[in-house]
Amino acid sequence: MATTYFSKRNLQFLLHDVFKAEELNKYEYFSAHDRETFNLVLDSATYIADTLMHPYLKEVDKNQPELKNGQVTVHPKVKEFMKAMGDAGLIGAGFSFEHGGQQLPEMLSASVGFILMAANNGMMYTGLSSGSAHLITSFGSPELTEFYVPNMLSGQWQGTMALTEPQAGSSLSDVMTSATPQADGSYKIKGQKVFISAGDHDAVDNIVHLMLARIDGAPKGTKGISLFIVPKYRPDGNGQFVDNDVTSTGVYHKMGQKGVPAMHLTMGSNDNTVGYLVGQPHQGLPYMFQMMNEARIGVGMTAAGIATAAYYAALQYARERPQSRRLNEKNMLDAPQTTIINHPDVRRMLLFQKAVTEGSLSLLIEAARLYDISSVAEGEEKENAFLMLDLLMPVAKSYPSEMGVQSVSQSVQTFGGYGFTEDFPVEQLYRDIRITPIYEGTTGIQAQDLLGRKMTMKGGKAPQLLFAEISRTIAEASTFDELKPYADQLTDELKRVQEVMASLLPHAMKGDTERYLSDATLFLELFGIVVVAWQWLKQSVVAKQIILTQNPQGDDLTFYEGKIHTMKFFFHYEVPKTLGLAVRLKDTEVLTIVSEKELAL
Amino acid sequence: MATTYFSKRNLQFLLHDVFKAEELNKYEYFSAHDRETFNLVLDSATYIADTLMHPYLKEVDKNQPELKNGQVTVHPKVKEFMKAMGDAGLIGAGFSFEHGGQQLPEMLSASVGFILMAANNGMMYTGLSSGSAHLITSFGSPELTEFYVPNMLSGQWQGTMALTEPQAGSSLSDVMTSATPQADGSYKIKGQKVFISAGDHDAVDNIVHLMLARIDGAPKGTKGISLFIVPKYRPDGNGQFVDNDVTSTGVYHKMGQKGVPAMHLTMGSNDNTVGYLVGQPHQGLPYMFQMMNEARIGVGMTAAGIATAAYYAALQYARERPQSRRLNEKNMLDAPQTTIINHPDVRRMLLFQKAVTEGSLSLLIEAARLYDISSVAEGEEKENAFLMLDLLMPVAKSYPSEMGVQSVSQSVQTFGGYGFTEDFPVEQLYRDIRITPIYEGTTGIQAQDLLGRKMTMKGGKAPQLLFAEISRTIAEASTFDELKPYADQLTDELKRVQEVMASLLPHAMKGDTERYLSDATLFLELFGIVVVAWQWLKQSVVAKQIILTQNPQGDDLTFYEGKIHTMKFFFHYEVPKTLGLAVRLKDTEVLTIVSEKELAL
């Protein structure tokens, strides 16, 4: 159990030194908190992660939920875990005092998510409850809030997000589940939902689905979708609960994240599923999208957490495993074998993992900080934070996911043959993390969101704000001789992004969206590298300032120096990838338009 | 069963049109064969793949071999499969008539391997028998050959390669298994071997390990390792077999390729394991390395086969799955959803898969052709083919493996959420293929082999030969207006490789091997892209010639045009990646030399 799966030191560095979480106290809403309460929350999450999650990493993978006689059974520790999370106030950490929460910033809630997902991402239950309860407190009536939310935040009831249907995956405008108004103001629900995580299980007393459906006669497309609460057991009005005709039709068998059931659900098999409208009719998608940033920070944190756990497993192995001699001592057969961390190729693989995982975490905490400011600030400050967050969100979801997959692959490679076996955790983490580029909008969807909406909304104001912010970091970094070359390099990268945009925008102007977005995924990749380079430069500035002003010694000094060295690694090894991406993006040939037949023969 | 898992048309194009397999007939050794006998062999392999392998793809994954009471049980179809392979002469396809083989070129044997591995890579048994039997026919005595080889080629006995030990993975010089000479000329063997594929199972009557061990008193390091036959049951001299004290200590549980057991074996627990020396003492490693090219073509084909099967699964799904509208028709809600192959992002993912898998297959058939020429030609022709093969081998093993992993990842992504479930084969193929960058020398080892030995051996003669060959393709391509720009681009890429080498070589000259090889893996990546670009240009030249001279129609024409379009995709999307790699490789900062402590904090 006592294995390292995340770095507390790094998390503290990011939260306090780089992003100055406690400065959020200046806003009335967060004024009850200080560094001490923040640390208590992180300690409490770490305790749960250490005792109730990490020891069961393999067990939940090995005993995937099965559907038997209509009941889904999950690992017995899940119940204990959910109760502990509820008791510690961690499911409701980000909720207002009014709603029984701790009124903590998203920076902290997201950091808690990072710790939990690094410990055991197969126990991904409570984040779903938080997200769906948040929909109720944000848009639901006081009655619905009072009835559902406390039980969800206590861990006794499970919340879910029930969006996807068999014929409507990425395309939510094609949702078909129907809602028929009843005399009492409720709705009869009929339809099917697929891939509903934690959509049924026996560790809770009730399941509360936040479900998209279409009220009879509603407009077509995205403008006719409403949001409902559809519980597994509904109140009968006499203080009892009755079965709400939500049938568990199947449980998906997945490659990874096996600890949490992904359900296929059927509503209304006996015409007896009741749903309760949340907010106004036809506002389901706008409501969902207001939660999307939070959900996507969650997925990013899941990816960053998994990749971090894999990195520390690989690092430990590399420090312990002897194999061969150093390359400059090849002929010294009498010498004992060296540990593989001393082979440059292994060292490079580890640095790559450190650069990707710590860069991802930094970006996600940045996004969470913007989320907090956009929630509690006012006027221009609020608006600007919201625009920046909206722009960064596709990157903060995709970079940790896509690069996390590659990072864990390098963790596997560090182990050699053992990495492919169940003797070590990395093979599981390699399977687990592969879902993250798919969850909550695939990378392709994120790319269309970034290039198709975020880069151009409000006349391109969001990238202007971001570039101004990056320029501030560049200016700070330029005051240090050691950092100046990297600051200059980042300036060049900003120019590169602008050149690419200048070459792409004419397609959008002409209304040729298909051409404009044909390589959007590559643009997202390019943009992600630049944004994470910024995060690394930002961390280096802070590390440099601390070294110069606080005169740290020993491990502390090594930690800060390591930050600067890893920044250099990122700029020397990762940033040059933008060269090829920019060439491709500015290229005039559209090769994705090759005939279907040509692909098939 | 009738799903497509490889393209027969493409395999025929490569074998006959691009690499002109039948021209090998001009060599005496292959003179018995023509296009017709080649096709019979491929048909026979396809029949076995269709009937005995592909239908059991999921079954062998779901029922991984277990060790019970010292016995390893595998899927019952394995026995039938091995017998069919033996009866069809496919285990011994590449063996001489004298040894009971079909005397077929490696081009054909490797193509058979491709078909089988595309069908069901979890039934990776017979390639191991071929490889180990080939060691016996090449270096063993006539008595050993006569006793072991026929039973291995008939599929009644299983052959294995028993190299790896717990303390000696990539570092074979540290092999410790001991061999003590006995009065009768045999040896007592004592030691342990790990990760021995097909190292024990119940589908055969005997297991024949080709095992590396160290004769008592042998020199240290690589010069003291000998090769032995160590059977599971040994002949007692009276026509009977007795147990040879090879204990199945454990079976690894793996992430993928679950159909074939990876064994932990212990020799000599009761001091009763007998081994038979193959060839001369202390020549074990040179013997093994003479088989390495064949084995590595096999791993490359496994990767290419798996990635091809995943590509065809993704392609089928993309052609059938409706989702959303085309980007330029976003607001047409009344329109039916389009199939996802019409989304540029999906089309790009599919083209990437086609470009990687067909490029890999082409490179592997090129390598197999060089293998054949180096086996049967004479004088300079033989030597040059051998040098070229030696140079290309690290690429032909690594490119299909590394890029295959990424290709299958894109297959998963094409399926969205369904790709992560066991409802479709891609999640299994994603797990399966991850071993290929590890098998038979990890990518890091291949990279050191390429840059540390192959680029510089014989004064750099191998790259000179290769570049001359690539220049020939460039010259041919330059005669076609449509191909000329790509020929020019490839010329630039050759210059880029030379520039990188010029900046790296001084480190080698100074004897600083560690610095010289620190980014060898990135050099391998760069070199791989250039070599596969060459393969695509070569295919395009042939396709262009056929279009102009044979006036193909319908599907034929579409196929050839698709080749040229996919070449363009490769040059527009993949080749620009060399820009960033070259910048990194010419960079003077060595960032892999970051302290161990910095990584850990």
Side-chain angles (χ1 to χ4, degrees):
Chain A
M1 189 213 82
T3 57
T4 303
Y5 52 87
F6 78 104
S7 164
K8 186 175 171 183
R9 185 192 294 264
N10 182 51
L11 188 56
Q12 296 277 353
F13 169 72
L14 289 171
L15 277 177
H16 301 303
D17 298 319
V18 180
F19 293 107
K20 307 195 186 316
E22 44 274 42
E23 286 186 4
L24 289 172
N25 304 6
K26 75 178 179 196
Y27 301 98
E28 171 69 23
Y29 186 83
F30 296 127
S31 59
H33 293 291
D34 56 21
R35 186 166 180 144
E36 202 178 333
T37 62
F38 288 164
N39 282 339
L40 282 173
V41 171
L42 295 179
D43 287 347
S44 155
T46 304
Y47 179 76
I48 290 174
D50 277 349
T51 56
L52 293 172
M53 299 181 77
H54 196 55
Y56 306 99
L57 177 65
K58 187 164 284 189
E59 270 188 39
V60 300
D61 180 64
K62 279 286 166 201
N63 301 285
Q64 61 180 332
E66 294 291 350
L67 174 63
K68 276 180 195 152
N69 306 321
Q71 182 55 56
V72 180
T73 310
V74 296
H75 194 284
K77 280 287 160 188
V78 175
K79 195 179 180 78
E80 210 175 314
F81 159 70
M82 291 199 68
K83 184 170 184 321
M85 286 287 290
D87 290 351
L90 290 176
I91 305 178
F95 286 69
S96 65
F97 295 137
E98 177 199 349
H99 292 128
Q102 296 200 57
Q103 217 154 303
L104 278 160
E106 174 68 11
M107 286 176 80
L108 265 288
S109 300
S111 298
V112 165
F114 170 73
I115 295 170
L116 304 182
M117 292 302 94
N120 186 346
N121 77 90
M123 290 173 83
M124 186 200 63
Y125 289 89
T126 51
L128 295 162
S129 290
S130 303
S132 42
H134 201 176
L135 273 173
I136 305 177
T137 59
S138 301
F139 308 110
S141 67
E143 294 73 29
L144 289 175
T145 300
E146 198 183 329
F147 187 77
Y148 287 99
V149 171
N151 286 317
M152 293 165 81
L153 300 191
S154 72
Q156 289 171 282
W157 292 4
Q158 172 72 55
T160 86
M161 305 288 245
L163 287 70
T164 307
E165 299 182 3
Q167 82 297 342
S170 295
S171 176
L172 289 175
S173 59
D174 294 296
V175 156
M176 279 177 17
T177 295
S178 66
T180 306
Q182 303 296 300
D184 68 352
S186 69
Y187 292 77
K188 275 281 170 75
I189 307 289
K190 214 174 176 79
Q192 295 192 46
K193 295 286 175 182
V194 294
F195 297 130
I196 307 308
S197 293
D200 193 13
H201 64 90
D202 63 344
V204 287
D205 300 330
N206 202 358
I207 313 271
V208 183
H209 303 290
L210 274 287
M211 190 175 291
L212 294 182
R214 201 178 282 283
I215 298 173
D216 296 349
K220 287 198 174 189
T222 54
K223 291 181 181 150
I225 296 170
S226 305
L227 179 65
F228 296 88
I229 290 177
V230 180
K232 181 177 178 181
Y233 301 108
R234 69 170 189 259
D236 69 353
N238 300 314
Q240 302 294 312
F241 286 85
V242 295
D243 186 281
N244 197 31
D245 191 21
V246 178
T247 312
S248 289
T249 313
V251 57
Y252 288 95
H253 284 171
K254 296 172 296 181
M255 171 162 64
Q257 286 213 329
K258 295 192 183 199
V260 62
M263 299 304 304
H264 182 161
L265 302 173
T266 304
M267 278 62 65
S269 309
N270 303 309
D271 211 21
N272 190 20
T273 303
V274 177
Y276 308 94
L277 184 67
V278 177
Q280 298 302 311
H282 315 323
Q283 293 300 310
L285 273 196
Y287 292 164
M288 273 293 175
F289 275 101
Q290 283 180 59
M291 294 297 125
M292 225 27 129
N293 285 334
E294 196 183 340
R296 288 175 176 169
I297 289 173
V299 175
M301 281 298 189
T302 302
I306 297 171
T308 300
Y311 166 56
Y312 282 105
L315 179 66
Q316 184 185 346
Y317 184 78
R319 299 180 80 181
E320 292 173 357
R321 167 76 177 173
Q323 190 76 159
S324 201
R325 278 101 210 142
R326 292 186 68 139
L327 286 167
N328 284 350
E329 299 167 353
K330 263 291 183 193
N331 298 319
M332 297 174 66
L333 291 177
D334 288 328
Q337 299 198 71
T338 187
T339 44
I340 62 171
I341 198 169
N342 291 316
H343 298 311
D345 193 51
V346 173
R347 193 68 67 99
R348 185 186 49 75
M349 288 196 283
L350 291 169
L351 258 172
F352 172 75
Q353 295 164 54
K354 182 177 166 77
V356 165
T357 54
E358 294 182 8
S360 295
L361 183 58
S362 182
L363 173 59
L364 284 157
I365 295 182
E366 175 90 69
R369 191 183 65 83
L370 291 166
Y371 179 97
D372 288 325
I373 295 173
S374 72
S375 305
V376 299
E378 284 173 17
E380 200 184 354
E381 188 187 17
K382 183 189 189 82
E383 193 196 344
N384 287 353
F386 194 73
L387 279 170
M388 285 260 291
L389 172 64
D390 251 14
L391 177 66
L392 285 179
M393 211 49 250
V395 187
K397 191 267 169 178
S398 300
Y399 185 93
S401 306
E402 289 283 343
M403 294 308 293
V405 167
Q406 293 197 36
S407 183
V408 180
S409 186
Q410 293 301 291
S411 309
V412 170
Q413 194 73 11
T414 305
F415 277 87
Y418 288 103
F420 198 64
T421 71
E422 295 177 4
D423 298 9
F424 292 94
V426 287
E427 69 83 23
Q428 178 183 341
L429 299 174
Y430 182 73
R431 291 183 282 107
D432 289 345
I433 199 172
R434 188 59 188 81
I435 189 62
T436 60
I438 296 172
Y439 268 162
E440 297 293 349
T442 62
T443 300
I445 296 287
Q446 302 298 325
Q448 289 182 22
D449 183 41
L450 175 65
L451 190 57
R453 295 203 299 147
K454 306 300 179 60
M455 290 300 286
T456 53
M457 63 185 179
K458 304 213 172 181
K461 192 174 176 196
Q464 277 168 31
L465 289 167
L466 176 67
F467 283 23
E469 189 67 32
I470 295 178
S471 298
R472 264 191 289 281
T473 305
I474 289 173
E476 283 189 293
S478 298
T479 64
F480 302 103
D481 286 350
E482 189 179 3
L483 308 185
K484 176 119 196 346
Y486 303 98
D488 292 346
Q489 201 181 337
L490 189 53
T491 303
D492 293 343
E493 294 302 324
L494 291 184
K495 283 196 203 110
R496 199 187 311 282
V497 173
Q498 282 161 334
E499 283 164 21
V500 167
M501 280 306 292
S503 86
L504 288 176
L505 276 173
H507 301 298
M509 307 284 191
K510 277 184 286 182
D512 189 354
T513 312
E514 198 154 302
R515 173 65 186 91
Y516 176 57
L517 296 180
S518 61
D519 287 334
T521 297
L522 303 186
F523 180 80
L524 172 65
E525 190 179 341
L526 167 69
F527 199 74
I529 293 169
V530 175
V531 163
V532 175
W534 164 48
Q535 291 299 313
W536 271 112
L537 195 62
K538 198 169 193 172
Q539 293 182 63
S540 298
V541 167
V542 175
K544 196 79 192 172
Q545 284 165 340
I546 292 174
I547 291 173
L548 293 175
T549 60
Q550 300 180 15
N551 192 26
Q553 301 294 319
D555 281 358
D556 286 336
L557 178 60
T558 308
F559 173 80
Y560 298 118
E561 286 176 344
K563 280 290 175 187
I564 294 168
H565 292 152
T566 310
M567 176 278 288
K568 291 184 182 178
F569 174 86
F570 195 88
F571 276 79
H572 284 275
Y573 284 79
E574 291 301 298
V575 173
K577 291 177 179 172
T578 61
L579 287 168
L581 289 164
V583 165
R584 170 57 221 151
L585 284 158
K586 292 193 280 184
D587 196 334
T588 49
E589 291 234 19
V590 192
L591 288 155
T592 49
I593 310 307
V594 168
S595 82
E596 183 170 338
K597 201 78 190 272
E598 281 174 22
L599 284 164
L601 285 170
Chain B
M1 190 214 79
T3 57
T4 303
Y5 51 87
F6 79 104
S7 163
K8 186 176 170 184
R9 185 194 293 264
N10 182 51
L11 188 57
Q12 296 277 356
F13 169 73
L14 289 170
L15 278 176
H16 300 304
D17 297 318
V18 180
F19 293 107
K20 306 194 186 317
E22 44 273 41
E23 287 186 3
L24 288 172
N25 302 8
K26 75 180 178 195
Y27 300 99
E28 172 68 23
Y29 186 82
F30 296 128
S31 58
H33 293 290
D34 55 22
R35 186 166 180 144
E36 201 178 334
T37 63
F38 289 164
N39 283 339
L40 282 172
V41 170
L42 295 178
D43 287 346
S44 153
T46 305
Y47 179 76
I48 290 174
D50 277 347
T51 56
L52 292 172
M53 300 181 78
H54 196 55
Y56 306 99
L57 177 65
K58 186 163 282 187
E59 269 188 39
V60 299
D61 179 66
K62 280 285 165 201
N63 302 285
Q64 62 180 332
E66 295 291 349
L67 174 63
K68 277 182 193 150
N69 306 320
Q71 181 56 56
V72 180
T73 310
V74 296
H75 193 284
K77 279 287 160 189
V78 175
K79 195 179 182 80
E80 209 175 316
F81 159 69
M82 292 198 69
K83 185 170 183 322
M85 286 288 289
D87 290 351
L90 290 176
I91 306 179
F95 286 68
S96 65
F97 296 137
E98 175 198 349
H99 291 129
Q102 296 200 58
Q103 216 154 299
L104 278 160
E106 174 68 10
M107 285 175 82
L108 266 287
S109 301
S111 299
V112 165
F114 170 73
I115 294 170
L116 304 182
M117 293 300 94
N120 185 347
N121 78 91
M123 290 172 83
M124 186 200 62
Y125 290 88
T126 50
L128 295 161
S129 290
S130 302
S132 43
H134 200 177
L135 273 172
I136 305 176
T137 59
S138 301
F139 308 111
S141 67
E143 293 73 28
L144 288 175
T145 301
E146 198 183 329
F147 188 75
Y148 287 99
V149 172
N151 286 317
M152 293 165 81
L153 300 191
S154 73
Q156 288 171 285
W157 292 5
Q158 173 71 55
T160 86
M161 306 288 247
L163 288 69
T164 306
E165 299 182 3
Q167 82 298 340
S170 295
S171 176
L172 289 174
S173 60
D174 293 296
V175 156
M176 280 176 19
T177 294
S178 65
T180 307
Q182 304 297 298
D184 67 352
S186 69
Y187 292 77
K188 275 280 170 78
I189 307 289
K190 217 176 174 76
Q192 296 191 46
K193 295 286 175 182
V194 294
F195 298 128
I196 308 308
S197 294
D200 193 13
H201 65 91
D202 64 345
V204 288
D205 300 331
N206 202 359
I207 313 272
V208 184
H209 303 290
L210 274 288
M211 192 176 288
L212 294 182
R214 200 177 283 284
I215 297 172
D216 296 349
K220 288 199 175 185
T222 53
K223 290 179 181 152
I225 296 171
S226 304
L227 179 64
F228 296 89
I229 289 177
V230 180
K232 179 177 179 182
Y233 301 108
R234 68 169 188 259
D236 69 353
N238 300 314
Q240 301 294 311
F241 287 86
V242 295
D243 185 280
N244 197 31
D245 191 21
V246 178
T247 312
S248 289
T249 313
V251 57
Y252 289 95
H253 284 172
K254 296 172 295 181
M255 172 162 63
Q257 285 213 328
K258 295 191 183 199
V260 63
M263 298 303 304
H264 182 160
L265 301 173
T266 305
M267 279 64 63
S269 308
N270 303 309
D271 212 20
N272 191 21
T273 303
V274 177
Y276 309 94
L277 184 67
V278 176
Q280 299 302 309
H282 315 324
Q283 293 300 310
L285 272 195
Y287 292 164
M288 273 292 176
F289 275 101
Q290 284 180 59
M291 293 295 125
M292 226 25 129
N293 285 334
E294 196 182 338
R296 288 175 176 168
I297 290 173
V299 175
M301 281 298 189
T302 302
I306 296 171
T308 299
Y311 166 55
Y312 283 105
L315 179 65
Q316 184 186 346
Y317 184 77
R319 298 180 81 180
E320 292 172 357
R321 167 76 178 173
Q323 190 77 156
S324 202
R325 278 101 209 143
R326 292 186 70 139
L327 286 168
N328 284 351
E329 300 167 352
K330 262 292 184 193
N331 297 319
M332 296 173 66
L333 292 176
D334 287 327
Q337 299 196 72
T338 188
T339 44
I340 62 171
I341 198 169
N342 290 318
H343 298 311
D345 193 53
V346 173
R347 192 69 67 98
R348 185 186 49 75
M349 290 197 282
L350 291 169
L351 257 172
F352 172 76
Q353 296 163 55
K354 182 177 166 77
V356 165
T357 54
E358 294 182 9
S360 295
L361 183 59
S362 182
L363 173 59
L364 284 157
I365 295 181
E366 176 90 68
R369 191 184 64 85
L370 291 166
Y371 180 96
D372 288 323
I373 296 173
S374 73
S375 306
V376 299
E378 284 174 17
E380 200 186 352
E381 188 187 17
K382 183 188 187 83
E383 194 196 343
N384 287 352
F386 194 74
L387 280 169
M388 283 260 291
L389 171 65
D390 253 14
L391 177 66
L392 285 179
M393 211 48 250
V395 187
K397 192 265 169 180
S398 301
Y399 185 92
S401 306
E402 290 284 344
M403 293 308 293
V405 167
Q406 293 196 35
S407 183
V408 181
S409 186
Q410 293 301 291
S411 310
V412 169
Q413 194 73 12
T414 305
F415 277 87
Y418 288 102
F420 198 64
T421 71
E422 295 177 4
D423 298 8
F424 292 95
V426 287
E427 69 83 23
Q428 177 183 342
L429 299 174
Y430 182 73
R431 291 183 282 107
D432 289 346
I433 198 171
R434 188 58 190 80
I435 189 61
T436 60
I438 296 172
Y439 269 161
E440 297 293 347
T442 63
T443 301
I445 296 287
Q446 302 300 324
Q448 289 182 22
D449 183 42
L450 175 66
L451 189 58
R453 295 204 297 146
K454 307 299 180 58
M455 290 301 287
T456 53
M457 64 185 178
K458 305 216 172 179
K461 192 174 176 197
Q464 276 167 32
L465 289 167
L466 176 67
F467 284 23
E469 189 66 33
I470 295 178
S471 298
R472 264 190 289 281
T473 304
I474 289 172
E476 282 189 293
S478 298
T479 63
F480 302 103
D481 285 349
E482 189 180 2
L483 308 186
K484 178 119 194 346
Y486 303 98
D488 292 345
Q489 199 181 339
L490 189 53
T491 303
D492 293 343
E493 294 303 323
L494 291 184
K495 284 197 202 111
R496 199 186 312 280
V497 172
Q498 282 161 333
E499 283 165 19
V500 167
M501 281 306 291
S503 86
L504 289 175
L505 277 171
H507 301 297
M509 308 284 193
K510 278 184 286 183
D512 188 354
T513 312
E514 197 154 302
R515 173 65 186 91
Y516 177 57
L517 296 181
S518 61
D519 288 334
T521 297
L522 303 185
F523 180 79
L524 173 64
E525 190 179 340
L526 168 69
F527 200 72
I529 292 169
V530 176
V531 163
V532 175
W534 164 49
Q535 290 300 313
W536 271 112
L537 195 61
K538 199 171 193 169
Q539 292 183 63
S540 298
V541 167
V542 176
K544 196 80 193 171
Q545 286 165 339
I546 293 175
I547 291 173
L548 293 176
T549 60
Q550 299 179 16
N551 191 26
Q553 301 294 322
D555 281 359
D556 286 335
L557 178 61
T558 307
F559 172 80
Y560 297 118
E561 285 176 344
K563 279 289 175 189
I564 294 168
H565 292 153
T566 310
M567 176 279 288
K568 291 184 183 179
F569 174 86
F570 194 88
F571 275 78
H572 283 276
Y573 282 80
E574 292 301 297
V575 173
K577 290 178 178 171
T578 61
L579 287 167
L581 289 164
V583 164
R584 169 59 221 151
L585 283 158
K586 292 193 281 183
D587 197 335
T588 49
E589 291 234 17
V590 192
L591 288 156
T592 50
I593 310 309
V594 168
S595 81
E596 181 169 338
K597 202 78 190 273
E598 281 175 22
L599 284 165
L601 286 169

